[in-house]
Amino acid sequence: MTTASTTECRPEPDAGPAAAGLMTTPPAADAAGSIAAPPAADIAGSTEQSADQPTEQSSEQPAGQPAEQSADRPADRAEPARATTGRQRLAFAAIATGNLLVLLDTSILNVAVPDVQRTLHPSAAALPWAVDAYTVVFAGLLLAAGVFADRWGARRVYLGALASFAVLSALCAAAPNVSVLIGGRALLGAAGAGLVPASMALLIGLYPDPARRQRAVGAWVALSGLGAAAGPVLGGALVELGGWRLVFLVNPPIAVLTLLAARLLPNPSPARARRALDRSGLVLATAGLGLLTFGLVEAGSRGWTSAVALVPMLAAVAAFGTLAAVERRVAAPVLPPSLVALPRVRASFVAAAQSCFAFFGGMYLLDIWLQHADHLSPFAAGLAALPLTFPVCVMPFFTGRLVARRGARPVLLTGMAASVLAGVLLAVTAGHHVPLPLLIAAELALAATGTLAIPGAAAEMAVAAPADLAATGQGALNGVRQGGSALGVAVLGTFGSLASAGFVLVGTGLVAFLFIVRATSGKRA
């Protein structure tokens, strides 16, 4: 398979036009394109020449062309630049598609659970793990997957994980009983963990310029959010069409098409290949993340006093404590203290944890509250949550631009302030009948938290982490995000009133806001 180097994908200053969209121009791209230029054009960095312009240069210098370029520059250089830009767009689509599959599978099976129950007849204790097995394994392996991507090469890990995702999806579709389905979902989580940090490392190699990279990260997160938002809708349609097995058969064709574009992906050399592998650190980090997620999932369903929830969480604390001690003594730690010591990296971790805690915990809380307190049907509750879910498909495009123009610090702080505002709005609610305008305002504040801080943290990590730790940093960041999401669902989902959850959001949001202010003070984030 032919490899494409990073320099092949790098656009020239006179790069040709960008297409109207990234992946057959999704609606989110159209919405984002109404400001200044389509997102794909920003990502490709080509705003100087339209598609119908002739390749020959006139004697007059075109608008936007650097002054140092001569007017009589040979015309044959325009076509290679345009071709390189086209390759870059296709490579971006291939990278974003893998991450979209991961997020699609986190939510697409939720609406198919009743059909799984009717056909496979699982026990009440086993049925939830048809969904949760994916999440627990995915969260547990994110950091390890980032380490292996940095060590073996992001392109190799990405393609291997993508091929595995396709095969395992087909196996899940053919599962004869719930035990096989749970095992397949767990292996799918492992493949998904390989895709996420490797895709971000490939994105960093594709866009060496920090400003373009931050815009690309915004588009990458937006398309991922599109997968998460489309999951329940697409899953419901497929279940109606042919049952739960069709839910898994969506993945193989998409993965195969992405693999066909693999030759366009950048192939950054593994920067840590010669370093010793920190096996003890990998085991402790994977065990800690997996046990923490498992415990939080069980706490959300069984309660915080359940031994099934408490024992794994205490074991996770012990694993993380041992990890901190081990990492100080090894030559090549799995999570280098030098990376965690960077103020901008720490700010990204805190922003990602708080935003996912507020956004996903708030989404879960409001969904339950709307169905139980207002007695809405699941479909009506989904419509009522649109102010919370729809911005996820659109706003990250703008967030990437904001980070590129203003820096990450104001974007992250605005996201934290939005989580505090959401908490205040929920805290003033009383009784079971909350005014609709107040509810919509709280949903919009939570949406601002998620759509500003989550992509903002990813974009900041993409430029703050050293190049040889790109995938490791993104793996750690996504592990923090998964932990924050699980904690938000487990904590906020246990409150019987919106007001109690609101006070918690105010407290955690203020702590995160002050931490980011201190971590980034005197530095342009």
Side-chain angles (χ1 to χ4, degrees):
M1 191 175 294
T2 307
T3 60
S5 68
T6 304
T7 53
E8 284 181 306
C9 297
R10 190 178 301 169
E12 294 291 333
D14 59 337
L22 296 175
M23 298 171 62
T24 63
T25 315
D30 289 340
S34 63
I35 293 184
D42 278 344
I43 294 168
S46 56
T47 58
E48 299 138 358
Q49 191 173 336
S50 63
D52 54 355
Q53 276 185 306
T55 55
E56 287 81 4
Q57 301 289 330
S58 65
S59 59
E60 296 181 1
Q61 183 171 303
Q65 186 175 356
E68 65 269 21
Q69 292 181 345
S70 62
D72 57 353
R73 183 171 50 86
D76 58 357
R77 291 185 60 189
E79 288 303 323
R82 185 178 294 116
T84 301
T85 303
R87 289 170 63 89
Q88 192 177 45
R89 292 196 300 271
L90 289 174
F92 174 85
I95 294 170
T97 300
N99 204 52
L100 183 143
L101 279 177
V102 173
L103 272 295
L104 186 68
D105 258 52
T106 60
S107 58
I108 195 171
L109 189 62
N110 293 347
V111 293
V113 168
D115 193 52
V116 172
Q117 188 173 24
R118 283 192 297 269
T119 56
L120 297 183
H121 309 291
S123 66
L127 182 61
W129 285 101
V131 176
D132 294 334
Y134 179 92
T135 304
V136 170
V137 176
F138 175 70
L141 291 177
L142 276 168
L143 180 57
V147 172
F148 287 128
D150 282 333
R151 184 178 182 84
W152 296 338
R155 189 173 187 268
R156 179 184 298 177
V157 171
Y158 183 80
L159 295 179
L162 188 61
S164 300
F165 207 90
V167 173
L168 291 167
S169 295
L171 291 177
C172 286
N177 54 60
V178 74
S179 298
V180 175
L181 178 60
I182 291 173
R185 286 282 289 172
L187 292 174
L188 266 181
L195 285 170
V196 175
S199 68
M200 180 57 76
L202 289 173
L203 200 65
I204 292 171
L206 189 62
Y207 298 101
D209 176 67
R212 290 178 181 174
R213 184 189 308 161
Q214 288 169 329
R215 290 194 292 268
V217 169
W220 179 80
V221 174
L223 292 172
S224 302
L226 183 64
V233 178
L234 180 60
L238 291 171
V239 171
E240 291 290 333
L241 183 64
W244 66 268
R245 297 183 190 275
L246 285 183
V247 166
F248 293 102
L249 294 178
V250 171
N251 297 331
I254 299 175
V256 169
L257 289 175
T258 306
L259 286 169
L260 292 177
R263 63 186 182 85
L264 301 176
L265 296 178
N267 192 25
S269 58
R272 307 179 76 192
R274 297 181 180 179
R275 299 185 187 179
L277 183 63
D278 180 16
R279 292 180 176 84
S280 58
L282 281 174
V283 171
L284 289 168
T286 301
L289 288 170
L291 287 168
L292 177 63
T293 307
F294 179 91
L296 291 172
V297 168
E298 290 297 320
S301 59
R302 296 174 182 262
W304 290 92
T305 58
S306 169
V308 179
L310 283 175
V311 172
M313 286 191 286
L314 291 174
V317 172
F320 287 135
T322 307
L323 176 66
V326 168
E327 296 299 87
R328 293 190 181 97
R329 298 196 301 267
V330 296
V334 63
L335 186 60
S338 60
L339 175 66
V340 181
L342 296 173
R344 294 167 64 183
V345 169
R346 292 201 304 270
S348 297
F349 284 155
V350 171
Q354 169 61 17
S355 58
C356 288
F357 175 88
F359 181 79
F360 291 103
M363 181 189 297
Y364 179 79
L365 170 69
L366 290 174
D367 182 60
I368 293 176
W369 188 86
L370 287 168
Q371 293 186 57
H372 291 174
D374 275 6
H375 306 291
L376 298 181
S377 68
F379 179 72
L383 290 179
L386 279 177
L388 176 60
T389 57
F390 178 73
V392 176
C393 306
V394 180
M395 279 300 297
F397 284 110
F398 302 129
T399 302
R401 296 171 184 238
L402 286 172
V403 174
R405 293 175 182 174
R406 305 294 184 187
R409 187 175 192 262
V411 174
L412 297 181
L413 291 176
T414 304
M416 297 302 96
S419 72
V420 174
L421 175 60
V424 170
L425 293 171
L426 292 176
V428 299
T429 60
H432 294 288
H433 300 288
V434 179
L436 183 60
L438 182 62
L439 183 63
I440 292 176
E443 288 182 329
L444 290 174
L446 287 172
T449 301
T451 56
L452 288 172
I454 294 176
E460 176 69 345
M461 181 66 75
V463 296
D468 62 334
L469 296 173
T472 299
Q474 290 297 331
L477 181 67
N478 280 281
V480 169
R481 286 176 53 185
Q482 289 298 314
S485 302
L487 185 62
V489 171
V491 172
L492 299 183
T494 60
F495 289 110
S497 69
L498 296 182
S500 300
F503 286 118
V504 172
L505 286 177
V506 170
T508 57
L510 284 174
V511 170
F513 184 93
L514 294 174
F515 182 92
I516 294 172
V517 167
R518 182 176 180 181
T520 58
S521 61
K523 302 176 184 294
R524 185 186 183 275

